Amino acid sequence: MKAVQYREIGGRPEVVEVEDPQPGPGQVLLDVTAAGLCHSDEYVMGLPEEEYVYGLPLTLGHEGAGTVAALGEGVTGVEVGDSVVVYGPWGCGRCVRCSAGQENYCERAAELGIAPPGLGAPGAMAERMLVDDARHLVPIGDLDPVAAAPLTDAGLTPYHAIKRSLPKLGAGSTAVVIGVGGLGHVAVQILSALSGARVVALDIGDDKLELARRVGAAEALKSSPEAVEPVKEMTRGRGADVVLDFVGAQATLDLAPQLVRVGGDLTVVGITAGAPTLKVGFGTVPYEVSTLVPYWGSRDELVEVVELAQRGQISVHTERFSLDEAPEAYRRLHEGSLTGRGVVVP
Ligand code: NAD
Ligand code: ZN
Ligand code: ZN
């Protein structure tokens, strides 16, 4: 079968022929119906050899949707033909975190050598993929798999980040979303669906700002220190109740503390090379600001995100590519010319 692989440090993704996977005991084989491109793939492919821990060659794709094609020995709970999305941050299933559905924070994954598809295990950017356990599949019914695949990360990650801040997002509140790409444009919609907040979006691309307005942002501003004043004006001088940074570059980590109010939440989701740093200390962030650096989301939260999509409360803006076009899609992601989510459809 065809797969999109990262094959050597410093290389670019390639379409190659690999052996067809067969489901072992407990595993589920999917015919992939869609696989999203995440900016984290770019981050991973930009790592120097000494920091790269995902194995080579790596079949990319940690946002996957598929149709169940075959069941390994002993698998119950799913049927051949089911349309599903794949929960990506696989864990052991048994530790205290996994027991709470928070496999993204599994305490034993590293020790047991468990890695997410596309980030260690072979990913979704292929004609077929193996899923380690049926519990990592969420049925999507008649949702379009192309729009549903990104829910597993571009939907789940902001959902998890926003949920913890909901107590601060009542009527009259303001939330700032920095970076309105794959994750950010879904974040704007999740904020609108779940909270009373007015959403202010910041980005450096005009097309991204336009998308932000289209999906419900009340204001969309160029991301720069000049954005501080309008945000202060909109909030009677206070600053935003919650600031979500989906870029995580030094420029945004320096900007975010100037946008958040006393007692607000500042959440950094974005990952940028070069270890940029948020300065937290007396005088560098407003008093009683809570900062958080979350990773992905929990299994129950993915079920909730799928519900939001099924009710039409969120929808992912996608650009489609074939498997053969995947290298071109990654080139577009790299240059920043994708709007919404790039999705490969085998
Ligand atoms: P994306 O490329 O789709 O979107 C990034 C957006 O940020 C683009 O719209 C771009 O124009 C904008 N941007 C770039 N520099 C900016 C700046 N200085 N100010 C404002 N906007 C700027 O990326 P994505 O797939 O949505 O991922 C967003 C970030 O989240 C990436 O860093 C990714 O690695 C990270 N991520 C983290 C997690 C996690 O669990 N913490 C999960 C998924 C993705
Ligand atoms: Zn991702
Ligand atoms: Zn675990």
Side-chain angles (χ1 to χ4, degrees), residues 240-251:
D241 300 86
V242 174
V243 175
L244 299 144
D245 180 358
F246 292 100
V247 181
Q250 196 57 58

Side-chain angles (χ1 to χ4, degrees), residues 123-179:
M125 219 159 275
E127 290 174 277
R128 279 169 285 286
M129 77 178 287
L130 285 177
V131 175
D132 65 336
D133 193 291
R135 76 172 186 279
H136 292 143
L137 300 175
V138 177
I140 58 168
D142 54 14
L143 267 187
D144 172 12
V146 177
L151 297 175
T152 61
D153 181 12
L156 176 58
T157 302
Y159 186 78
H160 176 72
I162 289 163
K163 247 193 132 175
R164 76 123 184 172
S165 291
L166 285 179
K168 293 182 183 174
L169 292 173
S173 65
T174 299
V176 172
V177 171
I178 307 177

Side-chain angles (χ1 to χ4, degrees), residues 9-328:
I9 301 295
R12 295 300 298 165
E14 293 171 47
V15 182
V16 295
E17 198 62 38
V18 299
E19 233 172 84
D20 247 304
Q22 302 297 329
Q27 293 182 322
V28 179
L29 180 70
L30 300 183
D31 283 329
V32 175
T33 46
L37 284 84
C38 179
H39 209 107
S40 299
D41 297 333
E42 271 296 315
Y43 171 78
V44 163
M45 291 188 282
L47 286 171
E49 188 148 21
E50 56 283 9
E51 289 170 39
Y52 181 85
V53 294
Y54 307 94
L56 289 173
L58 172 70
T59 298
L60 294 162
H62 56 269
E63 281 185 348
T67 307
V68 175
L71 305 179
E73 199 188 313
V75 174
T76 55
V78 287
E79 305 279 347
V80 170
D82 285 356
S83 182
V84 295
V85 290
V86 181
Y87 175 79
W90 297 350
C92 74
R94 290 173 191 281
C95 71
V96 66
R97 291 298 200 164
C98 286
S99 301
Q102 296 160 5
E103 297 199 31
N104 49 326
Y105 300 131
C106 175
E107 293 178 342
R108 299 196 60 208
E111 161 200 347
L112 296 172
I114 300 170
L119 293 167
M125 219 159 275
E127 290 174 277
R128 279 169 285 286
M129 77 178 287
L130 285 177
V131 175
D132 65 336
D133 193 291
R135 76 172 186 279
H136 292 143
L137 300 175
V138 177
I140 58 168
D142 54 14
L143 267 187
D144 172 12
V146 177
L151 297 175
T152 61
D153 181 12
L156 176 58
T157 302
Y159 186 78
H160 176 72
I162 289 163
K163 247 193 132 175
R164 76 123 184 172
S165 291
L166 285 179
K168 293 182 183 174
L169 292 173
S173 65
T174 299
V176 172
V177 171
I178 307 177
V180 199
L183 272 67
H185 90 286
V186 187
V188 170
Q189 299 174 63
I190 294 169
L191 285 161
S192 307
L194 263 56
S195 84
R198 166 181 48 189
V199 183
V200 180
L202 306 187
D203 203 294
I204 52 173
D206 288 331
D207 54 325
K208 320 292 196 271
L209 293 175
E210 193 200 312
L211 176 63
R213 285 192 202 94
R214 234 187 311 148
V215 296
E219 299 284 345
L221 307 169
K222 267 270 151 61
S223 184
S224 81
E226 270 100 86
V228 174
E229 202 181 295
V231 169
K232 283 279 162 72
E233 268 169 26
M234 278 176 241
T235 54
R236 294 194 210 105
R238 281 188 304 217
D241 300 86
V242 174
V243 175
L244 299 144
D245 180 358
F246 292 100
V247 181
Q250 196 57 58
T252 58
L253 294 178
D254 290 342
L255 177 62
Q258 303 177 59
L259 299 168
V260 69
R261 74 159 160 82
V262 169
D265 286 350
L266 199 177
T267 298
V268 180
V269 178
I271 308 166
T272 299
T277 314
L278 174 70
K279 293 177 196 75
V280 177
F282 199 89
T284 58
V285 288
Y287 298 126
E288 299 217 8
V289 163
S290 305
T291 60
L292 191 85
V293 182
Y295 173 66
W296 226 325
S298 57
R299 277 173 52 207
D300 54 323
E301 287 170 336
L302 179 56
V303 175
E304 293 174 5
V305 169
V306 170
E307 297 272 4
L308 277 177
Q310 282 174 331
R311 292 184 183 187
Q313 290 171 286
I314 58 171
S315 73
V316 183
H317 179 97
T318 58
E319 277 192 52
R320 294 177 188 223
F321 301 87
S322 69
L323 259 184
D324 289 325
E325 290 166 339
E328 165 65 8

